[in-house]
């Protein structure tokens, strides 16, 4: 049997009851659970989610942390980057994900333009995500440059996941989505960024598109967990964008994506079968009709 087809109940018999993934916890994951998982050396999965229905599926599957990523821009809202995503959109999507779940910690992205002005702006918008959407934590992009904002949020009681390496909100400045941290100076900067967000109080840090060896070094140097995406196997946790992981994305996906299903073809087949039956007159049948 493929491990990815196991249900959480089957997984739990093989893992300690307090495991983040496959454990028997029947309340929401907290940032304390995440800290103790790092101490135990436990690896855990995170997925993005943008709506109540899909988030509910991942919650039932036992994914302990769901990210309402601003990747909603590309993957859910039809934009070609994360840049246009607004606070109002993030609040609406995050509230739906919270409503659709019972156990996962819900982390919501602060979108581009919602925290770069000042730490006070970051606190104002993070507060909206906690109060209006009900999320348990926020994520923002940047290392040393966002440390002051992280510090203020954490002091105010907002758990923060940091995000360094490739920061997609800077797509225009970066000229695309290149791998980060290559070369000595870039590697040192990544390490400084990781240490800065940890010192500012972040409870975890996403490492996106960085060489696996460097990500492993960063992971070993931090007391907080690293969440890798395109950062190799040495991170404490791994995140994928759900539409990539489940084969919903049209066209090419980044090299670091593994597709665990081909939902785009499953849904397309279902829609075509429905279309054929309606056009051919075989749907609805007697069993679908009232008299
Ligand atoms: O927005 C997002 O989905 C993300 C992940 C790629 C980590 O930030």
């Amino acid at each position: 049997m493929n491990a990815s087809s196991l249900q959480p109940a089957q997984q739990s018999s093989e893992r300690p009851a307090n495991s983040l993934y496959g454990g028997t916890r029947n309340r929401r994951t907290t940032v304390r659970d995440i800290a103790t998982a790092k101490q135990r050396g436990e690896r855990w999965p995170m997925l993005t989610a943008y709506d109540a229905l899909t988030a509910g599926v991942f919650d039932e599957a036992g994914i302990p942390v769901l990210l309402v990523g601003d990747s909603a821009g590309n993957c859910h809202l039809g934009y070609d980057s994360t840049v246009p995503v607004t606070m109002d959109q993030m609040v609406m999507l995050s509230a739906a994900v919270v409503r659709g779940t019972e156990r996962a910690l819900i982390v919501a992205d602060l979108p581009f333009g919602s925290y770069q002005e000042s730490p006070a702006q970051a606190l104002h918008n993070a507060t909206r995500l906690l109060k209006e959407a009900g999320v348990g934590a926020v994520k923002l992009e940047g290392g040393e440059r966002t440390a002051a904002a992280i510090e203020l949020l954490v002091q105010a009681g907002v758990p923060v996941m940091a995000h360094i390496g490739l920061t997609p909100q800077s797509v225009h400045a970066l000229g695309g989505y290149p791998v980060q941290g290559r070369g000595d100076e870039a590697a040192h900067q990544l390490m400084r960024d990781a240490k800065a967000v940890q010192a500012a109080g972040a409870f975890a840090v996403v490492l996106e598109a960085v060489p696996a060896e460097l990500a492993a070094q960063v992971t070993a140097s931090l007391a907080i967990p690293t969440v890798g995406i395109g950062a190799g196997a040495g991170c404490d946790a791994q995140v994928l964008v759900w539409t990539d992981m489940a084969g919903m994305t049209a066209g090419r996906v980044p090299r670091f994506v593994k597709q665990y299903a081909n939902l785009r073809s499953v849904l397309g087949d279902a829609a075509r079968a429905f279309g054929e039956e309606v056009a051919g007159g075989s749907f609805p049948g007697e069993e679908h009709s009232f008299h």
Side-chain angles (χ1 to χ4, degrees):
M1 196 187 319
N2 182 325
S4 63
S5 66
L6 295 176
Q7 298 299 307
Q10 292 167 275
Q11 297 273 359
S12 63
S13 62
E14 298 158 20
R15 295 194 166 85
N18 59 351
S19 297
L20 272 192
Y21 177 74
T24 52
R25 189 176 19 82
N26 57 4
R27 55 163 176 77
R28 278 204 195 269
T29 307
T30 65
V31 292
R32 274 181 63 182
D33 297 325
I34 288 171
T36 56
K38 171 97 182 185
Q39 286 157 15
R40 289 193 300 270
E42 185 188 329
R43 294 158 65 91
W44 48 272
M46 174 166 112
L47 281 174
T48 66
Y50 316 112
D51 68 90
L53 192 70
T54 319
V57 173
F58 301 152
D59 198 41
E60 275 174 31
I63 302 297
V65 185
L66 293 176
L67 170 67
V68 189
D70 59 358
S71 52
N74 326 48
C75 305
H76 192 69
L77 298 172
Y79 300 124
D80 62 4
S81 78
T82 61
V83 172
V85 177
T86 67
M87 266 308 297
D88 286 345
Q89 287 166 335
M90 287 307 300
V91 169
M92 197 254 306
L93 300 176
S94 303
V97 168
V98 171
R99 284 193 295 271
T101 54
E102 291 176 359
R103 299 197 324 151
L105 170 67
I106 310 302
V107 182
D109 258 331
L110 282 167
F112 179 66
S114 72
Y115 61 94
Q116 287 88 347
E117 240 171 76
S118 65
Q121 186 203 24
L123 181 56
H124 171 80
N125 284 315
T127 303
R128 282 195 65 194
L129 287 164
L130 264 67
K131 288 175 81 116
E132 296 176 39
V135 303
V138 302
K139 177 167 83 56
L140 47 75
E141 295 184 3
E144 290 183 318
R145 67 188 153 98
T146 46
I150 295 174
E151 208 167 319
L152 182 64
L153 296 188
V154 172
Q155 276 168 10
V158 181
V160 178
M161 181 178 278
H163 183 156
I164 61 174
L166 176 60
T167 48
Q169 292 176 9
S170 307
V171 58
H172 297 304
L174 294 169
Y177 300 99
V179 173
Q180 302 293 300
R182 283 193 168 138
D184 283 352
E185 179 41 35
H188 287 135
Q189 183 59 51
L190 190 86
M191 190 63 90
R192 282 197 294 275
D193 285 337
K195 296 263 173 76
V197 299
Q198 171 172 271
F203 73 90
V205 56
V206 170
L207 303 182
E208 180 163 355
V210 299
E213 300 73 18
L214 177 59
Q217 277 170 25
V218 170
T219 302
S221 322
L222 296 185
I224 59 171
T226 56
V227 186
I229 177 161
C235 297
D236 297 294
Q238 296 289 330
V239 58
L240 284 177
V241 167
W242 91 258
T243 45
D244 292 343
M245 172 290 295
M248 275 293 281
T249 306
R252 262 171 51 87
V253 291
R255 169 195 158 97
F256 57 74
V257 170
K258 179 168 176 182
Q259 285 192 339
Y260 289 84
N262 193 344
L263 285 198
R264 196 174 181 86
S265 108
V266 170
L267 270 184
D269 287 349
R272 274 184 290 276
F274 172 63
E276 289 296 325
E277 292 199 358
V278 170
S282 63
F283 179 83
E286 263 309 296
E287 68 276 32
H288 309 115
S289 305
F290 299 108
H291 295 289

